[in-house]
Amino acid sequence: MKRGKKSSKKKTKRSAIIVALIIVIIALIIYGLSTSKPKHVAVQNEPDKTNFENDTVFQEEPKQEEKSDIKIFNGTDRPIAFMIDNNKNAQPQASINSTYMVYEIIVEGGETRLMALFKGKDADQVGPIRSSRHYFLDYAMENDAIYAHLGMSPQAAEAINQFGINNINGQAYDTGKARTDSALYWRATHKKAPHNAYTNIKSISQIAQSKGYKTTSDKKSVLNYVAEEVNLDVASAVVANEVTIPYTSSHKVKYVYNEQTKRYTRYSKGKKMSDEMSKDDITTKNIIVTFAENYTLNDGEDKGRQDVVTVGNLDGYYITNGKAIKIKCKKESRETQTKYVDLEGNEINVNDGNTWVNVCPTDSNVVIE
C-alpha cells in the first residue's frame, strides 16, 4: 500500500510540471508575436502609395516643353520661296533682308537669279518677281516651301508637275498695273518691265489658302543652326574678310566682313546692295559656297537656258565671322535636304542668322582673303 501512494504522488507532480511548462510556452508565444510585429505596419504616417494625387514623394516630375533658342528659323509657319530678279534694272530688291535664306544660281545670259525664303515674316512688298528655273525647285522642296514665281521655263513646268510642288504662278494674278488695295501681283512704276513685278507675303498666303495648300510645316531646317556663336576655330580655317565669287565674266559677287557687326555686306556687279524697303545695306551672317556643274540646255528654243547639277557630293565653303572652312554639300536626290558637312563628315554648326547660298559654276575662281 505505501508503494502505491508514492506512485500517485509522483504522477501528480509530473502533471503539475507539464501544465506549468505549457503555460510558460503559451506566454512566450504570445509575447513573441507582440514584439515581432513589423515596424512599418505600425507607422501610421507612412504615405499611401496608391494615392498619387496627394503623395508628393511618388509623383513624377512634369515634362518640360522643348523650346528652341534659334531665332532665324522658328515656329510652324510654312516657308515661302520667291523667285527674285537679279538684273541690274531690277535692283534694289524689296525685303531681302527679311529672309532666312537666299539661294543665288546662274541662269541664261550670264546672269543669276535669287530664290528668297521667308518664314514667319510679314513683308509688305517682295520682288521684283521673275520666272521659275527648274533647279531652284530642288532647293524649294528641301525647305518645304510654297513656291511663288511669275511664269516658268518648260523644264520648270515639267518639274512642278512631276513633284507636285505647291506653286503660285503670278501670271494668273498679275494686273500689269500699279498696286491697288486688292492687287495680289502688281507692277511698280519706277522700274520697267519685265523687272517691275511685285507681290507680298499676305497675297501669297491668301492664294495658298484658296488653293488648299498647307500653310504650316514641321520640317526641320536644312541648316544645323546653333545658339552658341560659331567661330570656326580650327586649324584648317582661313581668314575670310573678303569673299569674291565670279559667276560669269559679267556678274561678280563680293562680300565684305564687318568686324563690329560680325556680318558680311553684299556687293553685286561692283555696287553695294541695299534693301528697297528698309534702305539698309544687304548683309548676311553666313555664306555658303557650293560648286555645281552647269551647262547650256539643248531644248530647241535656243535661249541659253542652263541646267545645274544639284545632286551629289559637291565641294564648297562655309564662311562666318571672318573665317572660312572647306565643306561638302551632300544631296542624295532632288527632293531630299542638302547636308553640309566638314571634311571629316561631321555636319557643320551654323550661326543663328540669315544665310546666302551661292551655287556657282565649278570653274568659278572664288577668292577668299
Side-chain angles (χ1 to χ4, degrees):
M1 294 294 294
K2 288 183 181 180
R3 181 180 294 178
K5 287 182 180 179
K6 288 181 180 180
S7 175
S8 176
K9 287 180 180 180
K10 287 180 181 180
K11 288 181 179 179
T12 302
K13 187 176 182 179
R14 282 198 301 270
S15 297
I17 293 171
I18 291 170
V19 171
L21 287 172
I22 291 172
I23 292 171
V24 170
I25 291 170
I26 293 172
L28 288 172
I29 291 171
I30 292 172
Y31 177 78
L33 288 174
S34 64
T35 57
S36 63
K37 190 174 182 179
K39 291 183 180 180
H40 72 270
V41 174
V43 178
Q44 296 180 359
N45 293 328
E46 182 184 6
D48 180 2
K49 294 182 182 180
T50 62
N51 186 6
F52 290 102
E53 183 176 351
N54 296 320
D55 181 3
T56 57
V57 175
F58 295 95
Q59 280 184 334
E60 293 183 2
E61 293 184 3
K63 293 181 178 179
Q64 299 292 326
E65 291 185 6
E66 293 184 3
K67 293 183 179 180
S68 175
D69 293 327
I70 303 304
K71 297 178 181 178
I72 195 67
F73 190 95
N74 213 336
T76 59
D77 288 335
R78 189 179 180 188
I80 300 175
F82 294 85
M83 281 302 303
I84 305 293
D85 195 343
N86 198 35
N87 184 277
K88 65 179 182 179
N89 296 312
Q91 296 176 359
Q93 295 99 336
S95 303
I96 297 297
N97 269 346
S98 296
T99 62
Y100 71 88
M101 288 182 80
V102 180
Y103 292 83
E104 181 174 17
I105 313 179
I106 194 168
V107 293
E108 61 271 19
E111 295 286 340
T112 64
R113 285 188 187 168
L114 312 177
M115 187 177 74
L117 285 143
F118 296 77
K119 181 178 174 67
K121 298 290 185 179
D122 188 21
D124 183 60
Q125 185 162 294
V126 181
I129 309 297
R130 287 302 296 270
S131 59
S132 172
R133 296 295 178 266
H134 61 287
Y135 36 86
F136 282 97
L137 299 168
D138 301 4
Y139 297 110
M141 284 191 286
E142 70 176 33
N143 281 276
D144 191 27
I146 297 169
Y147 183 72
H149 55 103
L150 188 69
M152 65 192 90
S153 66
Q155 297 80 14
E158 181 181 352
I160 286 171
N161 290 331
Q162 177 185 351
F163 295 105
I165 294 171
N166 289 170
N167 77 107
I168 296 173
N169 185 355
Q171 288 179 325
Y173 309 94
D174 182 16
T175 63
K177 299 178 182 179
R179 184 176 186 178
T180 64
D181 290 341
S182 60
L184 300 175
Y185 276 76
W186 59 89
R187 297 283 174 164
T189 57
H190 62 286
K191 293 177 182 178
K192 295 182 179 180
H195 312 293
N196 63 344
Y198 290 82
T199 183
N200 61 14
I201 300 290
K202 181 179 179 181
S203 296
I204 297 304
S205 298
Q206 179 181 329
I207 297 170
Q209 289 178 357
S210 69
K211 286 179 169 290
Y213 296 161
K214 66 184 180 72
T215 56
T216 60
S217 176
D218 59 1
K219 193 163 189 173
K220 71 181 185 68
S221 169
V222 173
L223 299 177
N224 183 35
Y225 292 113
V226 294
E228 301 80 10
E229 193 76 6
V230 177
N231 288 309
L232 300 181
D233 292 328
V234 294
S236 60
V238 297
V239 172
N241 290 324
E242 288 191 8
V243 180
T244 304
I245 307 171
Y247 276 87
T248 63
S249 59
S250 60
H251 179 64
K252 184 183 293 185
V253 174
K254 187 175 183 180
Y255 296 93
V256 177
Y257 183 59
N258 184 321
E259 194 171 352
Q260 281 69 46
T261 63
K262 293 188 174 183
R263 299 181 64 82
Y264 287 86
T265 302
R266 178 180 161 90
Y267 293 75
S268 177
K269 298 180 175 67
K271 182 181 178 181
K272 184 162 63 172
M273 297 184 68
S274 61
D275 191 299
E276 185 175 5
M277 302 305 292
S278 67
K279 311 302 181 185
D280 294 333
D281 294 342
I282 299 295
T283 66
T284 186
K285 180 66 175 177
N286 306 294
I287 303 165
I288 289 177
V289 176
T290 299
F291 294 99
E293 182 184 357
N294 71 289
Y295 54 89
T296 302
L297 287 169
N298 183 18
D299 59 2
E301 295 193 6
D302 198 27
K303 293 186 177 181
R305 293 192 185 102
Q306 298 292 296
D307 197 3
V308 176
V309 180
T310 64
V311 177
N313 189 11
L314 311 181
D315 294 326
Y317 290 99
Y318 172 49
I319 304 163
T320 192
N321 285 356
K323 294 288 186 68
I325 59 170
K326 290 183 177 180
I327 62 170
K328 293 289 185 178
C329 313
K330 296 184 176 183
K331 189 171 174 65
E332 294 181 355
S333 69
R334 295 186 67 182
E335 309 100 300
T336 58
Q337 289 187 325
T338 304
K339 287 188 176 181
Y340 299 97
V341 301
D342 61 25
L343 299 187
E344 283 71 47
N346 304 307
E347 187 173 11
I348 62 171
N349 292 332
V350 176
N351 269 317
D352 184 8
N354 67 318
T355 303
W356 279 72
V357 181
N358 295 269
V359 182
C360 64
T362 54
D363 60 356
S364 178
N365 185 26
V366 173
V367 177
I368 301 174
E369 54 190 357

